[in-house]
């Protein structure tokens, strides 16, 4: 990349970041679901479950994520802390694409263990990151392993991606952006403030991948973890401390296609 091209790309990334990293972005985005809550734990749980089902039509994602919150009596952390076996039955008919009632009950059970035994999602991820030596792919693998614990996930395993299987883990990267990134823009929460934004990797899907390739930030054709690493390294050249903020820029470049999340 020559100097002139680099300057043009930097200008594009900054302008699109400024355009979309604003409170007006929240309303129609899945991040609007955890934004309904003020408590850290509520945001963590609402954000995690919303991220898990964030593929398909955006309106359907928001509708079904809202249903999940209502099934949890609009108090996610209190519900996870106090619910019993009888309460789990309410999730059995939940469906979002291939994420069905069996998966939903399984994920709620795992969340119960995470918050009652392991200190919560933040603690679990931070421990995984420490054990990984700040390697995000390994950290997400360990985070996934800790989430499932001694439970055999069966069909539900596919809903928690594993970068060590070369999955792009788009929804997990998006969730970490929500929890870790911190600025004064009001979109991302920055509530996991002992995790550096510099370790985040950019969420990669069909739309962001297309824009990244058009900009020359990504050469790999497949949207997998290898491509995520390549894209993030390219973005680190423009901001090594917070490369994931340019997720907003890649969103902007593909906004005409963004009625769905893939």
């Amino acid at each position: 990349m020559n100097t002139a091209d680099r300057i043009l790309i930097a200008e594009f990334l900054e302008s699109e970041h400024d355009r979309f990293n604003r409170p007006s972005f929240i309303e129609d985005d899945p991040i609007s679901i955890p934004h309904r809550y003020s408590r850290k734990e509520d945001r963590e749980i609402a954000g995690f479950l919303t991220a898990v089902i964030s593929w398909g039509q955006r309106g359907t994602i928001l509708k079904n994520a809202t249903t999940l919150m209502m099934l949890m009596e609009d108090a996610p952390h209190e519900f996870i802390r106090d619910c019993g076996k009888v309460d789990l039955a309410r999730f059995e008919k939940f469906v979002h694409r291939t994420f069905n009632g069996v998966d939903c009950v399984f994920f709620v059970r795992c969340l119960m263990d995470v918050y009652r035994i392991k200190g919560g999602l933040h603690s679990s991820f931070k421990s995984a990151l420490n054990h990984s030596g700040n390697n995000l792919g390994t950290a997400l693998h360990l985070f996934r392993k800790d989430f499932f614990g001694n439970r055999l996930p069966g069909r539900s395993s596919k809903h928690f991606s594993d970068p060590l299987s070369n999955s792009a883990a788009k929804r997990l990267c998006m969730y970490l952006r929500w929890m870790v990134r911190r600025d004064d823009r009001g979109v991302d929460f920055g509530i996991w403030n002992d995790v550096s934004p510099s370790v985040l990797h950019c969420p990669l899907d069909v739309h962001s991948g297309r824009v990244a390739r058009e900009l020359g930030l990504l050469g790999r054709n497949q949207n997998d973890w290898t491509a995520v690493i390549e894209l993030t390294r390219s973005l680190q050249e423009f901001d090594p401390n917070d490369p994931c903020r340019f997720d907003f820029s890649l969103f902007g470049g593909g906004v005409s296609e963004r009625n769905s999340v893939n």
Side-chain angles (χ1 to χ4, degrees):
M1 185 184 303
N2 62 44
T3 302
D5 286 343
R6 192 180 189 284
I7 291 172
L8 288 174
I9 292 170
E11 289 176 348
F12 172 84
L13 292 174
E14 293 294 347
S15 66
E16 292 297 278
H17 167 263
D18 182 63
R19 179 183 173 196
F20 286 98
N21 189 8
R22 297 172 176 269
S24 57
F25 175 89
I26 296 169
E27 183 178 359
D28 296 323
D29 190 77
I31 201 174
S32 63
I33 303 298
H35 262 289
R36 298 175 182 181
Y37 305 99
S38 58
R39 291 185 58 196
K40 174 179 179 283
E41 294 82 2
D42 286 334
R43 287 175 167 179
E44 288 174 349
I45 295 167
F48 179 78
L49 290 174
T50 299
V52 165
I53 66 167
S54 284
W55 84 101
Q57 293 297 313
R58 301 176 80 80
T60 303
I61 295 167
L62 297 180
K63 174 179 176 291
N64 289 339
T66 298
T67 296
L68 274 178
M69 296 306 103
M70 294 304 101
L71 289 172
M72 302 175 85
E73 300 171 0
D74 206 23
H77 181 238
E78 183 178 344
F79 182 86
I80 290 296
R81 185 190 65 201
D82 298 335
C83 77
K85 184 176 180 180
V86 173
D87 299 308
L88 293 172
R90 67 183 68 181
F91 297 99
E92 291 175 355
K93 294 183 179 180
F94 180 83
V95 177
H96 176 80
R97 296 174 70 91
T98 64
F99 187 85
N100 65 18
V102 171
D103 304 313
C104 196
V105 170
F106 183 82
F107 268 65
V108 171
R109 285 186 181 275
C110 289
L111 283 169
M112 290 164 61
D113 289 346
V114 167
Y115 278 88
R116 296 178 185 184
I117 301 170
K118 302 173 182 178
L121 287 166
H122 179 189
S123 177
S124 176
F125 176 75
K126 178 62 176 176
S127 175
L129 188 64
N130 288 342
H131 281 91
S132 75
N134 280 350
N135 180 297
L136 189 64
T138 302
L140 287 174
H141 171 79
L142 296 173
F143 184 41
R144 179 181 189 268
K145 185 176 180 180
D146 192 51
F147 181 79
F148 291 146
N150 294 324
R151 300 182 184 277
L152 297 176
R155 58 158 283 126
S156 301
S157 64
K158 65 183 179 181
H159 297 295
F160 199 131
S161 300
D162 186 352
L164 295 195
S165 297
N166 211 24
S167 167
K170 184 260 181 181
R171 297 190 290 276
L172 288 174
C173 289
M174 180 181 71
Y175 175 64
L176 292 180
R177 196 205 86 201
W178 295 352
M179 296 297 108
V180 173
R181 280 205 69 255
R182 42 194 174 270
D183 54 27
D184 59 358
R185 296 296 187 115
V187 181
D188 295 324
F189 296 106
I191 52 179
W192 291 4
N193 53 21
D194 56 357
V195 178
S196 172
S198 65
V199 307
L200 298 179
H201 286 27
C202 192
L204 176 64
D205 60 18
V206 172
H207 309 290
S208 60
R210 179 184 61 78
V211 176
R213 291 180 183 96
E214 289 176 356
L215 292 171
L217 298 171
L218 178 60
R220 186 171 175 81
N221 291 325
Q222 298 94 326
N223 291 328
D224 55 16
W225 190 251
T226 303
V228 170
I229 293 172
E230 180 187 343
L231 173 59
T232 301
R233 285 175 178 167
S234 293
L235 295 174
Q236 285 170 339
E237 295 181 15
F238 299 92
D239 190 341
N241 297 317
D242 188 11
C244 202
R245 73 183 176 95
F246 296 123
D247 183 32
F248 291 101
S249 309
L250 301 180
F251 171 93
V255 71
S256 64
E257 303 173 4
R258 278 290 186 154
N259 288 327
S260 63
V261 178
N262 294 299

